[in-house]
PDB file of all heavy atoms in Angstrom:
ATOM      1  N   GLY A  37      50.062  84.628  39.448  1.00 46.00           N
ATOM      2  CA  GLY A  37      50.850  85.104  40.730  1.00 46.00           C
ATOM      3  C   GLY A  37      50.972  86.545  40.646  1.00 46.00           C
ATOM      4  O   GLY A  37      50.782  87.220  41.813  1.00 46.00           O
ATOM      5  N   ALA A  38      51.243  87.206  39.605  1.00 46.00           N
ATOM      6  CA  ALA A  38      51.360  88.644  39.599  1.00 46.00           C
ATOM      7  C   ALA A  38      49.861  89.309  39.801  1.00 46.00           C
ATOM      8  O   ALA A  38      49.850  90.242  40.452  1.00 46.00           O
ATOM      9  CB  ALA A  38      51.794  89.006  38.050  1.00 46.00           C
ATOM     10  N   ALA A  39      48.966  88.719  39.298  1.00 42.00           N
ATOM     11  CA  ALA A  39      47.507  89.199  39.435  1.00 42.00           C
ATOM     12  C   ALA A  39      47.222  89.189  40.902  1.00 42.00           C
ATOM     13  O   ALA A  39      46.569  89.975  41.457  1.00 42.00           O
ATOM     14  CB  ALA A  39      46.458  88.364  38.666  1.00 42.00           C
ATOM     15  N   LYS A  40      47.542  88.051  41.617  1.00 40.00           N
ATOM     16  CA  LYS A  40      47.257  87.948  43.162  1.00 40.00           C
ATOM     17  C   LYS A  40      48.063  89.042  43.872  1.00 40.00           C
ATOM     18  O   LYS A  40      47.481  89.553  44.748  1.00 40.00           O
ATOM     19  CB  LYS A  40      47.668  86.553  43.616  1.00 40.00           C
ATOM     20  CG  LYS A  40      46.788  85.412  43.128  1.00 40.00           C
ATOM     21  CD  LYS A  40      47.186  84.056  43.617  1.00 40.00           C
ATOM     22  CE  LYS A  40      46.298  82.889  43.108  1.00 40.00           C
ATOM     23  NZ  LYS A  40      46.619  81.579  43.675  1.00 40.00           N
ATOM     24  N   HIS A  41      49.266  89.211  43.435  1.00 43.00           N
ATOM     25  CA  HIS A  41      50.067  90.219  44.077  1.00 43.00           C
ATOM     26  C   HIS A  41      49.503  91.661  43.839  1.00 43.00           C
ATOM     27  O   HIS A  41      49.485  92.414  44.968  1.00 43.00           O
ATOM     28  CB  HIS A  41      51.542  90.224  43.484  1.00 43.00           C
ATOM     29  CG  HIS A  41      52.413  91.172  44.075  1.00 43.00           C
ATOM     30  ND1 HIS A  41      52.947  91.011  45.437  1.00 43.00           N
ATOM     31  CD2 HIS A  41      53.068  92.277  43.590  1.00 43.00           C
ATOM     32  CE1 HIS A  41      53.732  92.011  45.770  1.00 43.00           C
ATOM     33  NE2 HIS A  41      53.817  92.807  44.732  1.00 43.00           N
ATOM     34  N   ARG A  42      48.955  91.856  42.730  1.00 46.00           N
ATOM     35  CA  ARG A  42      48.423  93.258  42.472  1.00 46.00           C
ATOM     36  C   ARG A  42      47.092  93.390  43.358  1.00 46.00           C
ATOM     37  O   ARG A  42      46.791  94.485  43.826  1.00 46.00           O
ATOM     38  CB  ARG A  42      48.101  93.478  40.968  1.00 46.00           C
ATOM     39  CG  ARG A  42      49.431  93.607  40.195  1.00 46.00           C
ATOM     40  CD  ARG A  42      48.976  94.173  38.780  1.00 46.00           C
ATOM     41  NE  ARG A  42      48.301  93.186  38.004  1.00 46.00           N
ATOM     42  CZ  ARG A  42      48.855  92.278  37.191  1.00 46.00           C
ATOM     43  NH1 ARG A  42      50.109  92.293  37.025  1.00 46.00           N
ATOM     44  NH2 ARG A  42      48.056  91.364  36.639  1.00 46.00           N
ATOM     45  N   ALA A  43      46.376  92.282  43.467  1.00 41.00           N
ATOM     46  CA  ALA A  43      45.125  92.312  44.159  1.00 41.00           C
ATOM     47  C   ALA A  43      45.426  92.609  45.722  1.00 41.00           C
ATOM     48  O   ALA A  43      44.698  93.339  46.307  1.00 41.00           O
ATOM     49  CB  ALA A  43      44.292  91.072  44.002  1.00 41.00           C
ATOM     50  N   ALA A  44      46.459  91.982  46.131  1.00 41.00           N
ATOM     51  CA  ALA A  44      46.928  92.061  47.602  1.00 41.00           C
ATOM     52  C   ALA A  44      47.257  93.575  47.798  1.00 41.00           C
ATOM     53  O   ALA A  44      46.864  94.108  48.865  1.00 41.00           O
ATOM     54  CB  ALA A  44      47.834  91.248  48.039  1.00 41.00           C
ATOM     55  N   ARG A  45      48.014  94.131  46.796  1.00 45.00           N
ATOM     56  CA  ARG A  45      48.449  95.490  47.037  1.00 45.00           C
ATOM     57  C   ARG A  45      47.254  96.412  47.028  1.00 45.00           C
ATOM     58  O   ARG A  45      47.206  97.438  47.755  1.00 45.00           O
ATOM     59  CB  ARG A  45      49.545  95.819  45.869  1.00 45.00           C
ATOM     60  CG  ARG A  45      50.924  95.340  46.258  1.00 45.00           C
ATOM     61  CD  ARG A  45      51.895  95.936  45.254  1.00 45.00           C
ATOM     62  NE  ARG A  45      51.530  95.785  43.757  1.00 45.00           N
ATOM     63  CZ  ARG A  45      52.109  96.253  42.852  1.00 45.00           C
ATOM     64  NH1 ARG A  45      53.184  97.062  43.046  1.00 45.00           N
ATOM     65  NH2 ARG A  45      51.682  95.971  41.580  1.00 45.00           N
ATOM     66  N   ALA A  46      46.304  96.128  46.182  1.00 38.00           N
ATOM     67  CA  ALA A  46      45.167  96.983  46.005  1.00 38.00           C
ATOM     68  C   ALA A  46      44.358  96.979  47.301  1.00 38.00           C
ATOM     69  O   ALA A  46      43.868  97.968  47.812  1.00 38.00           O
ATOM     70  CB  ALA A  46      44.302  96.528  44.792  1.00 38.00           C
ATOM     71  N   THR A  47      44.191  95.814  47.975  1.00 35.00           N
ATOM     72  CA  THR A  47      43.514  95.568  49.196  1.00 35.00           C
ATOM     73  C   THR A  47      44.152  96.378  50.259  1.00 35.00           C
ATOM     74  O   THR A  47      43.459  97.110  51.040  1.00 35.00           O
ATOM     75  CB  THR A  47      43.375  94.131  49.557  1.00 35.00           C
ATOM     76  OG1 THR A  47      42.638  93.404  48.550  1.00 35.00           O
ATOM     77  CG2 THR A  47      42.549  93.889  50.880  1.00 35.00           C
ATOM     78  N   ARG A  48      45.496  96.312  50.404  1.00 38.00           N
ATOM     79  CA  ARG A  48      46.264  97.016  51.413  1.00 38.00           C
ATOM     80  C   ARG A  48      45.962  98.569  51.100  1.00 38.00           C
ATOM     81  O   ARG A  48      45.852  99.217  52.221  1.00 38.00           O
ATOM     82  CB  ARG A  48      47.726  96.579  51.424  1.00 38.00           C
ATOM     83  CG  ARG A  48      48.008  95.265  51.946  1.00 38.00           C
ATOM     84  CD  ARG A  48      49.452  95.061  52.246  1.00 38.00           C
ATOM     85  NE  ARG A  48      50.256  95.129  50.931  1.00 38.00           N
ATOM     86  CZ  ARG A  48      50.577  94.114  50.287  1.00 38.00           C
ATOM     87  NH1 ARG A  48      50.265  92.924  50.610  1.00 38.00           N
ATOM     88  NH2 ARG A  48      51.305  94.176  49.107  1.00 38.00           N
ATOM     89  N   ALA A  49      46.069  98.952  50.038  1.00 36.00           N
ATOM     90  CA  ALA A  49      46.028 100.400  49.767  1.00 36.00           C
ATOM     91  C   ALA A  49      44.539 100.840  49.965  1.00 36.00           C
ATOM     92  O   ALA A  49      44.413 101.962  50.632  1.00 36.00           O
ATOM     93  CB  ALA A  49      46.167 100.681  48.246  1.00 36.00           C
ATOM     94  N   THR A  50      43.509  99.981  49.880  1.00 33.00           N
ATOM     95  CA  THR A  50      42.083 100.429  50.112  1.00 33.00           C
ATOM     96  C   THR A  50      42.042 100.506  51.733  1.00 33.00           C
ATOM     97  O   THR A  50      41.398 101.519  52.245  1.00 33.00           O
ATOM     98  CB  THR A  50      41.134  99.251  49.683  1.00 33.00           C
ATOM     99  OG1 THR A  50      41.265  99.262  48.338  1.00 33.00           O
ATOM    100  CG2 THR A  50      39.744  99.682  50.086  1.00 33.00           C
TER     101      THR A  50
END
Side-chain angles (χ1 to χ4, degrees):
K40 290 180 180 179
H41 182 67
R42 286 195 297 269
R45 285 193 301 176
T47 300
R48 288 194 296 269
T50 300

